[in-house]
């Protein structure tokens, strides 16, 4: 798993993520750089995990093959759900997206799904926690800094689109850290 992913992993807590980010910000500020922190929240991320994309990543990125691959494919395929409220029930529907919530495998499968996000913006400081993506860009020249974070955001947006995930604009924001 990516070293920049915190949450759902032993010894990778929110406290460690905060310590890591704080250190990076202070380091940049000590070197007279401005830091822009962009905080991207995903919209219903675990509900949007596409099974075909997840299985593709398991096979091609992680070498999950033969018996293990068939097991995961079987686990994710032909899932059905319905809702009951008091005496009323919905119809039984197929579930083609999502990782089963409340399961032991749910967080791991979500991690596998998003783990390659750093490849969308190589060399950038991404910090991930659950379904939140935080991007930190630093620099001295304001115009170059703006161009760099615009390029990174465009690349991340392309990655989100390719992976059928949507940014929740109401929960997405940024900070400018400078002296």
């Amino acid at each position: 798993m990516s070293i920049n992913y915190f949450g759902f992993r032993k010894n990778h807590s929110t406290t460690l993520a905060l310590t890591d980010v704080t250190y990076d910000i202070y380091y940049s500020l000590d070197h007279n750089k401005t830091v822009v922190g962009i905080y991207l929240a995903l919209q219903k991320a675990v509900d949007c995990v596409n099974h075909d994309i997840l299985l593709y990543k398991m096979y091609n990125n992680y070498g999950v093959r033969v018996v293990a691959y068939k097991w995961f494919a079987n686990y994710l395929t032909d899932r059905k759900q319905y809702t009951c409220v008091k005496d009323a029930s919905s119809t039984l529907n197929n579930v083609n997206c999502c990782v089963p919530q409340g399961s032991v495998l749910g967080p791991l499968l979500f991690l596998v799904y998003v783990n390659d996000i750093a490849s969308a913006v190589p060399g950038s400081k991404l910090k991930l926690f659950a379904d939140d993506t935080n991007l930190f860009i630093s620099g001295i020249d304001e115009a170059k800094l703006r161009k760099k974070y615009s390029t990174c955001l465009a690349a991340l947006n392309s990655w989100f689109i390719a992976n059928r995930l949507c940014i929740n604009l109401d929960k997405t924001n940024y900070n400018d850290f400078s002296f």
Side-chain angles (χ1 to χ4, degrees):
M1 292 296 137
S2 170
I3 61 168
N4 296 317
Y5 196 92
F6 299 85
F8 303 141
R9 294 179 62 203
K10 188 176 183 176
N11 300 320
H12 285 78
S13 66
T14 52
T15 304
L16 182 59
L18 185 59
T19 302
D20 196 43
V21 167
T22 303
Y23 174 82
D24 287 345
I25 291 169
Y26 277 125
Y27 182 85
S28 293
L29 292 174
D30 286 345
H31 290 86
N32 299 316
K33 294 180 180 180
T34 297
V35 180
V36 175
I38 302 170
Y39 315 101
L40 304 158
L42 296 176
Q43 197 167 10
K44 298 185 177 192
V46 294
D47 293 335
C48 296
V49 171
N50 181 283
H51 294 167
D52 292 333
I53 294 172
L54 175 60
L55 289 167
Y56 175 87
K57 288 181 181 196
M58 292 176 84
Y59 188 87
N60 291 294
N61 298 359
Y62 300 102
V64 175
R65 302 279 197 283
V66 193
V67 174
Y69 180 85
K70 287 179 183 177
W71 187 88
F72 279 109
N74 185 46
Y75 179 73
L76 294 168
T77 304
D78 294 328
R79 296 186 74 83
K80 301 193 183 303
Q81 71 180 17
Y82 70 97
T83 304
C84 289
V85 178
K86 295 188 180 180
D87 294 332
S89 296
S90 68
T91 59
L92 193 62
N93 292 305
N94 289 327
V95 178
N96 299 319
C97 291
C98 87
V99 291
Q101 294 181 40
S103 70
V104 174
L105 279 178
L108 175 64
L109 293 174
F110 184 75
L111 265 172
V112 167
Y113 197 76
V114 299
N115 191 56
D116 64 338
I117 191 171
S119 66
V121 284
S124 294
K125 294 190 178 189
L126 275 182
K127 302 296 179 196
L128 304 138
F129 190 86
D131 61 348
D132 294 323
T133 303
N134 301 312
L135 173 66
F136 296 91
I137 305 286
S138 62
I140 295 172
D141 182 282
E142 189 176 327
K144 287 181 183 177
L145 182 61
R146 196 173 313 121
K147 182 177 180 177
K148 188 173 181 181
Y149 71 70
S150 294
T151 301
C152 287
L153 283 174
L156 283 172
N157 189 53
S158 294
W159 186 91
F160 290 133
I161 290 168
N163 287 278
R164 299 184 186 171
L165 297 171
C166 297
I167 297 170
N168 183 335
L169 294 178
D170 292 332
K171 294 182 178 179
T172 295
N173 53 65
Y174 75 98
N175 278 26
D176 183 337
F177 303 93
S178 60
F179 283 116

